[in-house]
Amino acid sequence: MNRRVVITGAGLVSALGDRPASLVDALLEGRSAIRPIEGFDTAGLGVRVGAPVAGFVEKTYLGIKNLRPLDRTARLVVAAAKLAADDAGLNIQSLRANEAGLALGTMFCSVRTIAEFDRRAITAGVEYASVMDFANSVINAAAGQTAIWHGLTGLNATICGGLTSGLQALAFGFDMIRLGRSKMLLAGGGEEFCYEALAGFSRAGWLAMPEEFAIPYDRRRNGLILGEGAALLVLEEADAAAARGATALGEIKGQAIGFDPSRGKDPASAANALERCIREALGEAGLEPAAVDLLSASANGSVAADRAEAAAVKAVFNGRTSSLPVMAIKAMLGEPVGAGGALQTIAALEALRAGVAPGIAGLGEMEEGFGLAAAAARREISGANALITSIGLDGNACAVVVGK
Amino acid sequence: MTGRVVVTGLGTVTSIGVGWPEFWANLLAGKSGIGRIESFDPSKYPCHNGGEVKGFDAAAYMRRLRPDSVGRASQFAVAAAWLAVDDAGLDMAALEPHRVGVAVGTTSGEPNLIEKFNDSFVAGRMDDVGAEFLGQYPCHVIAGHVAEELRLGGVNITIPCACAAGNYAVSHAFDALRAGRADVMLAGGSDAFSRITYTGFSRLGAVAPEKVQPFDKNRKGMIPGEGAAMLVLEPMERAMKRGATIYAEVASYGISCDAHHMTAAHPEGDGAARAMTMALREAGLGPGDVSYISAHGTGTPTNERLETIAVKRVFGDGSNAVPISSVKSMLGHTMGAASAIESAVCSLAVYKDRIPPTINFQEPDPECDLDCVPNFSREARVIVAMNNAYAFGGNNSTVLLKKFAA
């Protein structure tokens, strides 16, 4: 028996605010989080800008407890979990009583912690490598720290799927509730902005460089701008949520995870992978394409991935793409990697609630043939269902359908 | 469909054998894969032994991708995937590629790539870091490389839940099949030997100088290892229709989190007991139905003491009646691959009615007074095998594999 899965809370720490409404306000204003990189030397990487969570003050969320054992990824995630639990009317006692779980999407967890641990050993000597850093060097470290902080004793899974990690974690969390393996869990993702990730993206040629033009779908786009953040949704079985008097912010109706076996080398194969995901997710939700009222897209300015996403959407919504409103939050947030999927979802639910979808800041001329209803200006929307898509740069694809 | 899921193919890459027949024979013979580390100079460390897969020739197993275009964990995983698919007799051409999925568990992804990155960084030669770092390092590339090599477009998921990751991957594949999200799943785990891992466990004082002695009174610690295992999982009806060899049925699983400490298990075995109980309940079985437990069994002084407490919480008076052995006594701790390899071991135990030993056992420990199958493998009717794995982050996992009967 499949159970219904409702969203009863949302928590986020993003480069554009820490409340769903403030995020969407910033997006509606077209405010951008992209700024010159400070705090570390990027000389030689050819990259000048990023979209970190500037001015993140852990104390605001976590009080005066000892934060030393937590690296930046864990701090972002623990803070987002606190906000999500608060929003759902939960605390450490009720989370523990419900054996709440966690599904956390992340590409690297903290590649910075991992790298620093090793560097200390190879420069100062093995005996100087930090034991605390080692505990945080596992890719499930942020999930483990979050479980300890918030008393999450249920299933605890870290999910990696490159840029699709966060949406995959939502999809995974949906299944865990739906199949009855968990009554309540937090699902989403987190990623920190650091030198090592920046160096990786830069050397892979995935960043908008040397002139930054990371406007989704724009014909002039030349890559992504790396961002940061953490976002989690509280998922619950619908009846259990109702029984405890929780307010449902929305419902997850379907999901699909797929893969492009060419790993991005064949554009048609990349588009097909996401197209299949969209069709399967809609099928599971029992919705025709015509019932989708909003698309919260993955688009981040990457030349090939944006094109594959546009092609997948066009294939599914054949003939009516021009009437499907598209929002692309990474135009303003940068690519928040593991946090992306949950941030796209939160922004979409908030847009449905407010009846207005943010525009894609800076969008000039869309690439020929995309045919999407994407524009720089905000637009009024109506309806209840949103499609969230996520596409990676090396094969991963995922789609989730939510309703308000 | 009944929702029943079976194991029809096994592929293993281990320090005591590539391919399950060789691995299984050596396992039953109690052969150790532990030796002096060769992949880096261990002289700076207090201990010098590891469980490396020596002489592994990736080119012998990889059919499409160039071995040097992927990291070592991906090489292991791809080799294990082909071995499993061939073992299952799957006709890949007859399958819908997008209905075949991959679930991989790993602790570190491709740690050798970040080590190389650091070598360049420290030497002031960042120009040596190219596209290969992001292209080959992040852990999701292991499942990606398996899918690219085998041309699979189905569910593709990487679950890096440290040393319990293999069990998570098998568990997720079980769910994906039961939910109808795939027709066939390749599930398992892979990890490559790494100086980062070795440094970390050395700093924790957890590494044994010579050998791994789980459950022994004088056990001195774990020894890091490497390897991979992939299992072919498919719905029972599908397997029977094509006349496949069925090694075992995946009966159930249980996953919990201690939410207690990053690196130390709960002192009363709370989460571990919950995971076992959860799995038994889902399978409709009692502790008395379990014929064999594959222990987490790392060989550290605390692990087996706490693991014994957890087993006693669940099995009570019957604790001594169920054999529990640790293949880590032979392989060392293969990290995210460990519980995948142990899932293969449990599948073979129920298929072959044989129980692998815990080697290096000399002196009983009154705090670990379970039947650890000391030193010699055993013939026994194995109806239900319980695969336990625990991890950093407080993760606990149990997978139950049972003898298949239609």
Side-chain angles (χ1 to χ4, degrees):
Chain A
M1 239 283 286
N2 288 335
R3 294 150 184 85
R4 283 181 61 196
V5 181
V6 293
I7 300 166
T8 58
L12 66 148
V13 180
S14 85
L16 288 173
D18 59 4
R19 292 292 185 276
S22 54
L23 169 66
V24 169
D25 284 348
L27 294 171
L28 286 169
E29 288 167 22
R31 221 186 303 148
S32 175
I34 295 158
R35 58 180 64 216
I37 295 167
E38 290 167 5
F40 53 84
D41 185 7
T42 59
L45 298 183
V47 52
R48 301 180 297 193
V49 300
V53 180
F56 171 58
V57 181
E58 299 88 339
K59 271 197 310 211
T60 317
Y61 311 99
L62 306 174
I64 52 161
K65 282 170 78 176
N66 178 22
L67 291 161
R68 261 192 78 232
L70 275 57
D71 60 24
R72 184 165 172 93
T73 302
R75 290 174 192 211
L76 291 165
V77 175
V78 170
K82 167 81 169 102
L83 292 169
D86 286 352
D87 192 39
L90 297 163
N91 58 28
I92 189 164
Q93 286 80 22
S94 48
L95 288 166
R96 211 175 258 284
N98 282 292
E99 274 189 74
L102 175 65
L104 185 72
T106 184
M107 181 163 175
F108 296 110
C109 196
S110 180
V111 62
R112 180 183 177 79
T113 300
I114 297 165
E116 284 196 339
F117 171 76
D118 181 50
R119 283 202 288 267
R120 194 87 188 275
I122 60 176
T123 54
V126 169
E127 62 276 29
Y128 293 99
S130 153
V131 171
M132 197 168 76
D133 279 355
F134 181 56
N136 287 328
S137 78
V138 289
I139 301 162
N140 61 326
Q145 297 283 16
T146 305
I148 294 168
W149 197 281
H150 294 295
L152 306 176
T153 57
L155 72 91
N156 186 294
T158 298
I159 307 290
C160 289
L163 299 184
T164 69
S165 301
L167 200 62
Q168 283 200 21
L170 269 190
F172 178 93
F174 168 71
D175 270 12
M176 292 300 100
I177 304 275
R178 188 170 158 271
L179 300 172
R181 296 213 175 267
S182 189
K183 267 197 308 186
M184 174 190 288
L185 59 76
L186 278 63
E191 206 80 46
E192 76 177 74
F193 185 84
C194 65
Y195 173 82
E196 290 76 12
L198 207 56
F201 277 90
S202 165
R203 290 294 152 78
W206 289 353
L207 295 181
M209 282 183 2
E211 297 300 317
E212 302 85 7
F213 208 93
I215 308 298
Y217 303 131
D218 194 290
R219 58 186 297 199
R220 297 163 296 173
R221 72 191 186 279
N222 63 349
L224 61 85
I225 287 170
L226 202 59
E228 181 178 51
L232 289 162
L233 299 170
V234 178
L235 307 186
E236 294 184 66
E237 194 273 311
D239 292 339
R244 73 171 185 92
T247 308
L249 311 172
E251 178 180 1
I252 302 189
K253 298 181 169 181
Q255 63 101 332
I257 296 172
F259 198 74
D260 155 28
S262 86
R263 296 182 72 238
K265 294 177 191 89
D266 172 2
S269 175
N272 283 342
L274 184 60
E275 179 191 338
R276 278 196 313 271
C277 289
I278 297 172
R279 289 189 194 283
E280 285 173 25
L282 287 173
E284 182 165 73
L287 296 176
E288 292 297 324
V292 177
D293 306 299
L294 175 66
L295 169 65
S296 186
S298 179
N300 58 17
S302 296
V303 177
D306 285 13
R307 194 176 289 149
E309 186 177 46
V313 170
K314 198 172 170 185
V316 176
F317 295 89
N318 189 21
R320 60 171 299 275
T321 42
S322 59
S323 59
L324 174 65
V326 179
M327 52 191 278
I329 64 172
K330 294 171 190 173
M332 294 146 279
L333 269 178
E335 172 53 75
V337 196
L343 287 171
Q344 283 171 250
T345 306
I346 291 169
L349 284 168
E350 188 63 21
L352 285 175
R353 195 190 62 75
V356 53
I360 298 173
L363 180 60
E365 200 177 325
M366 202 184 319
E367 182 173 321
E368 201 180 335
F370 281 11
L372 300 169
R378 62 160 84 179
R379 66 182 272 185
E380 305 215 329
I381 57 169
S382 62
N385 297 312
L387 171 67
I388 323 296
T389 51
S390 190
I391 184 164
L393 304 170
D394 54 358
N396 297 100
C398 183
V400 167
V401 176
V402 297
K404 72 173 178 187
Chain B
M1 296 286 253
T2 55
R4 292 174 67 184
V5 171
V6 294
V7 180
T8 57
L10 303 171
T12 57
V13 175
T14 77
S15 55
I16 58 169
V18 177
W20 77 257
E22 183 192 6
F23 165 61
W24 181 244
N26 284 331
L27 205 59
L28 293 182
K31 186 177 172 183
S32 169
I34 302 297
R36 189 176 168 91
I37 293 166
E38 290 175 3
S39 58
F40 57 82
D41 174 11
S43 59
K44 293 175 293 189
Y45 294 86
C47 303
H48 309 116
N49 278 353
E52 293 169 301
V53 180
K54 290 178 178 167
F56 175 72
D57 177 17
Y61 304 96
M62 297 178 70
R63 300 175 194 175
R64 290 174 180 142
L65 290 168
R66 279 194 2 250
D68 66 359
S69 71
V70 306
R72 188 166 168 88
S74 290
Q75 292 180 351
F76 287 165
V78 166
W82 278 127
L83 288 164
V85 161
D86 289 349
D87 184 49
L90 278 181
D91 177 4
M92 297 306 280
L95 289 165
E96 289 256 33
H98 69 272
R99 294 290 298 167
V100 185
V102 182
V104 170
T106 182
T107 293
S108 306
E110 297 283 8
N112 303 148
L113 270 294
I114 189 78
E115 291 166 8
K116 247 193 263 175
F117 176 104
N118 272 344
D119 290 340
S120 303
F121 181 88
V122 166
R125 290 196 320 263
M126 272 303 285
D127 283 350
D128 292 353
V129 176
E132 78 292 341
F133 172 58
L134 198 65
Q136 297 178 25
Y137 165 68
C139 67
H140 74 276
V141 303
I142 302 174
H145 287 138
V146 170
E148 185 178 13
E149 168 85 7
L150 278 76
R151 297 190 178 149
L152 309 175
V155 176
N156 193 283
I157 195 162
T158 300
I159 311 184
C161 286
C163 303
N167 260 357
Y168 276 70
V170 170
S171 301
H172 180 68
F174 175 62
D175 278 347
L177 290 166
R178 298 214 314 172
R181 299 201 182 280
D183 293 337
V184 174
M185 286 293 294
L186 297 179
S190 184
D191 262 295
F193 206 80
S194 139
R195 80 176 178 219
I196 294 179
T197 306
Y198 206 78
T199 300
F201 284 105
S202 297
R203 288 287 293 122
L204 286 173
V207 181
E210 275 178 65
K211 57 189 176 185
V212 189
Q213 298 173 273
F215 300 101
D216 187 286
K217 189 172 185 203
N218 302 307
R219 62 193 182 278
K220 293 180 179 63
M222 52 82 78
I223 291 182
E226 65 176 355
M230 294 295 286
L231 287 73
V232 173
L233 268 53
E234 55 188 311
M236 175 187 76
E237 290 80 357
R238 196 181 183 288
M240 290 179 72
K241 196 171 156 201
R242 68 181 189 89
T245 297
I246 294 175
Y247 293 104
E249 177 174 355
V250 183
S252 63
Y253 74 87
I255 285 176
S256 74
C257 184
D258 285 343
H260 165 71
H261 191 276
M262 276 305 286
T263 57
H266 189 277
E268 281 109 41
D270 166 63
R274 278 190 292 126
M276 284 185 259
T277 306
M278 228 180 274
L280 286 169
R281 194 183 307 135
E282 183 189 352
L285 298 169
D289 297 317
V290 176
S291 330
Y292 166 60
I293 301 172
S294 173
H296 186 54
T298 56
T300 64
T302 46
N303 180 79
E304 277 89 71
R305 188 171 56 77
L306 296 178
E307 194 165 0
T308 302
I309 291 171
V311 166
K312 286 185 175 176
R313 269 177 79 152
V314 177
F315 288 78
D317 292 342
S319 302
N320 298 79
V322 55
I324 175 170
S325 71
S326 168
V327 301
K328 292 187 179 83
S329 61
M330 291 166 269
L331 301 176
H333 190 342
T334 57
M335 303 290 132
S339 50
I341 292 172
E342 288 148 13
S343 288
V345 169
C346 287
S347 301
L348 289 165
V350 298
Y351 185 61
K352 300 273 194 184
D353 284 326
R354 294 291 294 273
I355 295 176
T358 300
I359 68 164
N360 302 322
F361 185 86
Q362 288 158 336
E363 191 178 342
D365 180 348
E367 288 193 303
C368 312
D369 54 344
L370 302 174
D371 171 12
C372 72
V373 195
N375 301 321
F376 299 100
S377 66
R378 202 179 282 174
E379 283 186 42
R381 184 119 172 103
V382 184
I383 310 291
V384 177
M386 172 182 269
N387 186 16
N388 288 338
Y390 310 120
F392 275 18
N395 291 314
N396 309 288
S397 71
T398 295
V399 170
L400 289 182
L401 290 144
K402 69 178 183 191
K403 197 179 285 294
F404 176 69

